[in-house]
Amino acid sequence: MTTQFYKNKINRVLLLLFFLIAACAQKLEPEQSCNFVQNGQLQRVSWKGRVPVTLTISSSVPEEFHESIRLAASEWNYRLGRFMFDVRTGGDVGGSPAKDGQSVIYWINNWESGKELEQARTTIFWKGTFISEADIRINARDFAYSVTDVAEPSRVDFESLLVHELGHVLGLQHVEVGKGSVMEAQLAHGTERRVPGNVDLESLKCEY
Ligand SMILES: [Zn+2]
């Protein structure tokens, strides 16, 4: 009787341990990327339900570029049928990018040498599978940007660039050429790529 009692107890403890291990293993199970950045356990990182993402335009960004940023944000909001980006100006945001809990768009005049082919860079910060901050740097040193309705041939279309960077903010990574994605790594001068493609919208369905 006593032995049986302990056996049962041991069995129960073993069973509990098994479930705990199973639960942990499940949590670490790799996920399909869906074109998202993945953490060390190969799980997608995103804002999950914490949208809209509040993005502040730093005072370093000249006024004439603000409208293109808003249009790019609206494009994602509209295509997803969901309020994904809340773009603001002003507020107390630092002049240079830092992990400070605020997602900010910066205009960088002193871009690093050796990186002159990079038009912009988005840095995302995450913990587990949750993105908590995303900062966008615009290379203002090596490129001239177009903000006209029809992109100027000799300049980079600023709205297209921002649509791409906002894709990174949501957690997307680059997509190979030829799939109709706004997440292709290169944006040629004078090219308009302002509308998220079906492949992008499909990817986002995995997380939003
Ligand atoms: Zn990119």
Side-chain angles (χ1 to χ4, degrees), residues 53-177:
V53 177
T54 300
L55 264 179
T56 303
I57 304 175
S58 143
S59 57
S60 60
V61 181
E63 197 92 32
E64 68 206 85
F65 296 100
H66 291 197
E67 188 58 19
S68 297
I69 296 172
R70 291 205 176 84
L71 286 171
S74 303
E75 199 60 64
W76 282 111
N77 290 344
Y78 175 67
R79 299 287 157 186
L80 285 164
R82 193 168 168 191
F83 191 28
M84 301 300 282
F85 293 108
D86 182 7
V87 178
R88 300 177 180 192
T89 46
D92 183 24
V93 292
S96 52
K99 190 186 175 192
D100 54 10
Q102 302 196 80
S103 297
V104 182
I105 303 172
Y106 297 96
W107 192 255
I108 308 290
N109 287 306
N110 57 343
W111 199 260
E112 302 108 291
S113 36
K115 303 259 183 181
E116 52 274 340
L117 294 178
E118 207 179 2
Q119 294 158 341
R121 186 188 312 152
T122 298
T123 309
I124 57 174
F125 300 94
W126 70 80
K127 196 172 180 192
T129 57
F130 288 89
I131 299 177
S132 55
E133 179 182 343
D135 292 321
I136 299 176
R137 295 162 164 86
I138 307 294
N139 180 353
R141 190 192 66 177
D142 302 302
F143 294 92
Y145 297 104
S146 168
V147 291
T148 47
D149 280 351
V150 176
E152 296 171 76
S154 60
R155 291 170 176 247
V156 172
D157 184 52
F158 197 62
E159 186 181 330
S160 300
L161 180 67
L162 259 293
V163 165
H164 175 96
E165 299 309 321
L166 292 179
H168 283 314
V169 169
L170 292 177
L172 293 179
Q173 57 177 338
H174 288 151
V175 169
E176 58 190 279
V177 177

